[in-house]
Structures are given as C-alpha cells and as structure tokens.
Amino acid sequence: MKEEIMKNRYESAKAIYAEYGVDTDAAIARLKNIPLTVHCWQGDDVLGFENNGPLTGGIMTTGNYPGKARNPEELMADMDKAFSLTPGAKKINVHANYAIFEDGEQVDRDKLEPKHFKKWVDFAKERGMGIDFNPTFFSHPMVGPDGLTLSSPDPKIRKFWVDHGKACIRISEYFAKETGMPCVMNIWTGDGLKDVPADRMGPRMRYKQSFEEILSEPYDKNLVKPCAESKFFGIGVESYTCGSGEFTLNIAAMNDGCIPLLDNGHYHPEEMVSDKIPALLCFYPEIALHITRGVHWDSDHVLLFDDEPREIAKEIVRNDATERVYMALDFFDASINRVVAWIVGIRSWQKCMLNAMLMPHAELKELQDTAQFSKLMMLQEEVKTLPFGDIWVEYCKQCGVPTDKSWYEEIEKYEKDVLSKRN
Ligand code: RNT
Ligand code: ZN
C-alpha cells in the first residue's frame, strides 16, 4: 500500500517538476555519484587514538552524551552505521591523530608513516571510498606555551610541525595511490592569541615559511590536493588568528597546487561562503569546503537543511562546479547521539544538493540577464514549494537507504545494543 502511494507520489512530483523544465530522474542519477567527504571525528569528539589528553587548539566539543567511540573498531563500526542509513557516494576524512599503532609501537606526529594508516586504507578500499586527510596541529605537547605551532618563534617547535606536515603529504599520497582517488589534505592550525598582539606580522611570516617548507615535500599534484583553511577566531584565541581569511587565500594563490578551504563556521556571521564560492571559482581551478553550522561562534553544530547550506549547494550546482569543489562535513557535537549527528548532517547535505539540482537554473539566469526581476523573484519563490520531499524519498529509495524517519529506530536499537555498553 505504502509502496504504491509513494510510487504515485514520485510520478506526479516528477510531472510537476517537468513543468518547470526540471528532469528529476537526471538529478537523482547525477547526485548519486557526487562524493561527500565524511569526517571521522564526529564519532569521538575529535580525540583520536593517541591518548594525548583533551582537545585543544581553539576548538571544543560540549556535552557528554554516552557512547562515544573509544578505539578504531568502534569508530569504524559507528561510521558504517551512519553510512548504511544515508544516501550518496562518500569519502572518509581522517585526522593524523587517528593513526592506528600496532604491537605497542607509537611514534610522534613528525614521524608518522603510511603504515600507521593502513587500517584506514583497508576500511576505505573495502567500501570503495577515497580518503581525505588532515595533519593535526592541536591537542599535543609540542604546541608551544604561546599556543603556536607552524607560526612558533621557537625553531624546534616550528620544525616539529613542519615535519608533521611533510609526513602527512607522504601519507596523503599513499592514500591516493591505494584508493585510486585524490587525497585532499587540509592544513588548519589554531595558531593565534587570546589577547592584543604585540606583533601580528611575525607569526604570519613564520606561518608562511612553514607552509612553503611543507609544500616543498615532493608530491604528485594529481594525487595530493593540499589546502589552507582560514579562521576568524577560536576559543582562547579571540584576539588574533594567524591563518586569517586574507592570509590563507594568499597562501593558496601563491603556492601552485594549493587550494583554499572555506569552512562556513569561520567567518563573520554576515559573511556568506555561498557568495565566496563563485568569487573564488573565477580564479581557482579547485576549491574545498568544510560544511558546518555555526551558531554565533564557530560552534560546529550538526548541519541542517538550512538556508545557507542550500545556497552553498546552489552555487556549486549552477556553476557546474561539482568537480571543482571538494565538499566535506565538519562538525562535532558531543551532546547528542553521535551517530545521529552524522546521519542528520549527511542527509541534510544530500538534501541541499538535491534541492539545488531541482531548480531551473538556466531559466533563472536568463531572467536575471534580461532584467526580468519580477518574474525572477516569482519563480525563485514558486520553486521553493514544489514537492521536493517526494523526490528525496525516491532518491533515498534508489540508494537503498531509509526514505523517512524510520532510520531512527535502527539507531535506537544500536544505542541499546552497542553504544550504551561503552563506558
Ligand atoms: C577548526 C577547523 C578544523 C577542525 C578539524 C577537526 O575550527 O574547522 O577544520 O574542525 O580539523
Ligand atoms: Zn573546518
């Protein structure tokens, strides 16, 4: 009965969209193959496997909902659970502090090698996924007493972190070779100052030099995609951020092969990443995103099907840039079931992309270019209430994942059988 109703709903929704010149079958087919990078760090509050102590570096998780993953097996099982209940192609995003050491061996971050990530490669390959990677410049004793890493005035500290960055380039290349998919390697540091700086340029000059040293490590530009992620401010570093917007954008501009990475939680609340994307696409062959939900400050709340991510998706789709924009999720909420957080975030981005693919972009652009602004406003409003939900259901169905809220029952069961047994 339900099957029959839903089938009819898709057919009638498809006919309604066709009246607007939108091919829903084509949108569904296209979206299935656009990969979304899913971060491993939602599963354990960004702690990783080194047992180095608390999360530092200007970022923070709040909440202590039970059931966080305590080891690689649990984290991977939780990711699998999330993948099984979400549509679309995926890559995984691993941070260097998620190295998996075996037989009691543990090396420091400047000495990391591909073999310390072999289990992640096995995990990705078994699922036909690529891997993106992030050096970890936080939560570590070699973060200087001033909180600085790549911009540290202490040559020993700076060298340690440069060596870490270089090691991560080698590991990224290994990921790409093993999985057959390029590895986006994102450099973000929490380097900055809590209070009024006496020198704003010095740390940035050292940061610049460190970037150049890291990028001097030989690598294949088709395989490794180094990125520079900017930030506005962080917790405990409210007064000054070395890797500001202008700084990282120019790092990317001045270093061949380096890509700017925009995290939409990292700007002034009235600055929109959706507007920055087309600006950058005028100049950069490729850009990268961390998709999140900022609430007042860089809060990293779970992504929802909200206005700004919808607008971001539109910019990617209508500029035909799905192969030029690397899309990755970045949020960490410890106050709710962490697997639910992943699932809601992944499903939300998939909705944003599907929504963007169900718009008559050519016609809308034409209205703008011919100054038909009344009609443009009318049409942009009308498409908002087309039967999007019915296309979403069909998309989930074709991807073999739950089409509605029923996925939550699976998580309730998982919480009861698995998560609640973790202390
Ligand atoms: C922090 C940055 C960064 C981190 C991850 C864990 O503000 O967004 O991308 O979230 O490296
Ligand atoms: Zn980020």
Side-chain angles (χ1 to χ4, degrees):
M1 176 66 181
K2 198 179 166 201
E3 272 285 289
E4 193 56 26
I5 294 173
M6 291 320 292
K7 191 164 181 348
N8 291 338
R9 288 186 67 125
Y10 178 65
E11 290 308 325
S12 65
K14 179 176 159 173
I16 294 169
Y17 273 99
E19 278 184 37
Y20 285 77
V22 172
D23 181 343
T24 58
D25 289 338
I28 289 172
R30 196 170 157 215
L31 183 55
K32 279 182 196 162
N33 298 316
I34 298 174
L36 171 65
T37 298
V38 178
H39 54 317
C40 73
W41 54 89
Q42 165 55 50
D44 73 335
D45 313 341
V46 209
L47 290 175
F49 307 134
E50 296 167 321
N51 299 316
N52 255 333
L55 177 63
T56 65
I59 52 175
M60 176 167 134
T61 56
T62 55
N64 54 0
Y65 197 87
K68 81 167 153 241
R70 297 164 300 180
N71 53 50
E73 294 71 34
E74 291 179 354
L75 188 62
M76 288 175 187
D78 293 356
M79 291 174 87
D80 267 338
K81 193 37 109 184
F83 293 160
S84 73
L85 300 171
T86 50
K90 293 166 193 96
K91 274 177 111 177
I92 57 169
N93 215 353
V94 176
H95 238 289
N97 60 334
Y98 290 78
I100 302 174
F101 300 110
E102 282 174 291
D103 310 321
E105 185 209 12
Q106 182 156 356
V107 301
D108 214 341
R109 290 194 197 158
D110 58 334
K111 304 259 163 24
L112 284 170
E113 289 175 53
K115 69 174 183 195
H116 302 124
F117 295 88
K118 181 172 181 303
K119 287 208 170 148
W120 284 110
V121 165
D122 295 342
F123 177 84
K125 277 166 105 174
E126 277 161 26
R127 287 151 189 78
M129 295 175 184
I131 309 179
D132 290 341
F133 195 44
N134 307 259
T136 309
F137 298 99
F138 51 82
S139 308
H140 191 279
M142 276 301 269
V143 176
D146 46 12
L148 305 181
T149 62
L150 290 177
S151 64
S152 172
D154 180 336
K156 272 217 312 285
I157 292 178
R158 203 175 68 75
K159 178 167 188 307
F160 175 85
W161 291 110
V162 166
D163 287 344
H164 175 54
K166 290 181 169 191
C168 288
I169 288 203
R170 297 190 291 271
I171 294 162
S172 298
E173 194 164 65
Y174 156 74
F175 285 154
K177 283 186 177 149
E178 288 287 328
T179 63
M181 283 169 242
C183 174
V184 176
M185 191 195 94
N186 177 46
I187 294 181
W188 171 78
T189 74
D191 287 25
L193 296 170
K194 182 184 175 86
D195 224 323
V196 188
D199 176 14
R200 289 187 169 89
M201 189 168 161
R204 287 191 176 132
M205 285 305 287
R206 295 189 291 268
Y207 200 0
K208 174 172 181 269
Q209 195 189 333
S210 298
F211 249 103
E212 288 161 2
E213 286 168 19
I214 292 172
L215 297 175
S216 74
E217 178 70 19
Y219 67 93
D220 182 336
K221 292 203 170 68
N222 295 314
L223 299 183
V224 181
K225 309 279 180 176
C227 300
E229 179 180 12
S230 74
K231 197 161 178 177
F232 179 39
F233 81 99
I235 303 194
V237 283
E238 289 86 0
S239 297
Y240 166 76
T241 304
C242 299
S244 60
E246 293 77 9
F247 179 87
T248 52
L249 204 52
N250 282 296
I251 286 285
M254 305 296 279
N255 290 279
D256 189 31
C258 189
I259 295 174
L261 186 145
L262 295 84
D263 179 317
N264 62 303
H266 290 189
Y267 296 89
H268 192 279
E270 287 206 6
E271 266 186 88
M272 293 297 150
V273 163
S274 52
D275 186 61
K276 297 176 191 295
I277 291 170
L280 295 184
L281 287 174
C282 295
F283 298 94
Y284 288 89
E286 294 178 319
I287 62 170
L289 301 179
H290 272 182
I291 306 161
T292 187
R293 175 166 52 113
V295 180
H296 299 303
W297 53 281
D298 170 43
S299 54
D300 291 292
H301 281 58
V302 176
L303 189 77
L304 303 178
F305 183 49
D306 279 341
D307 284 351
E308 173 58 1
R310 278 207 292 264
E311 206 62 23
I312 289 175
K314 276 193 232 169
E315 289 298 340
I316 298 169
V317 170
R318 69 186 172 199
N319 294 312
D320 206 11
T322 53
E323 298 197 342
R324 295 173 62 195
V325 181
Y326 296 105
M327 305 161 223
L329 297 176
D330 183 16
F331 48 77
F332 23 99
D333 195 333
S335 74
I336 54 176
N337 180 305
R338 293 169 185 77
V339 184
V340 169
W342 258 319
I343 296 171
V344 169
I346 297 168
R347 288 176 75 100
S348 297
W349 181 248
Q350 292 282 326
K351 287 178 193 166
C352 291
M353 287 295 283
L354 184 63
N355 178 66
M357 291 191 168
L358 294 171
M359 291 182 66
H361 293 297
E363 185 182 356
L364 293 168
K365 276 188 199 176
E366 178 64 16
L367 292 174
Q368 175 176 318
D369 288 345
T370 51
Q372 299 187 64
F373 296 113
S374 318
K375 190 169 179 191
L376 175 59
M377 182 172 72
M378 174 283 295
L379 197 52
Q380 283 192 312
E381 277 309 285
E382 289 302 325
V383 296
K384 284 183 186 168
T385 49
L386 294 183
F388 170 75
D390 295 331
I391 315 295
W392 168 250
V393 164
E394 177 68 15
Y395 175 61
C396 289
K397 202 177 102 196
Q398 289 192 25
C399 291
V401 303
T403 58
D404 58 14
K405 65 185 169 64
S406 63
W407 64 261
Y408 197 79
E409 287 157 29
E410 280 229 17
I411 296 298
E412 282 177 321
K413 187 170 182 306
Y414 190 64
E415 179 163 281
K416 187 163 162 284
D417 297 347
V418 179
L419 301 179
S420 69
K421 307 234 155 86
R422 298 174 187 166
N423 302 311

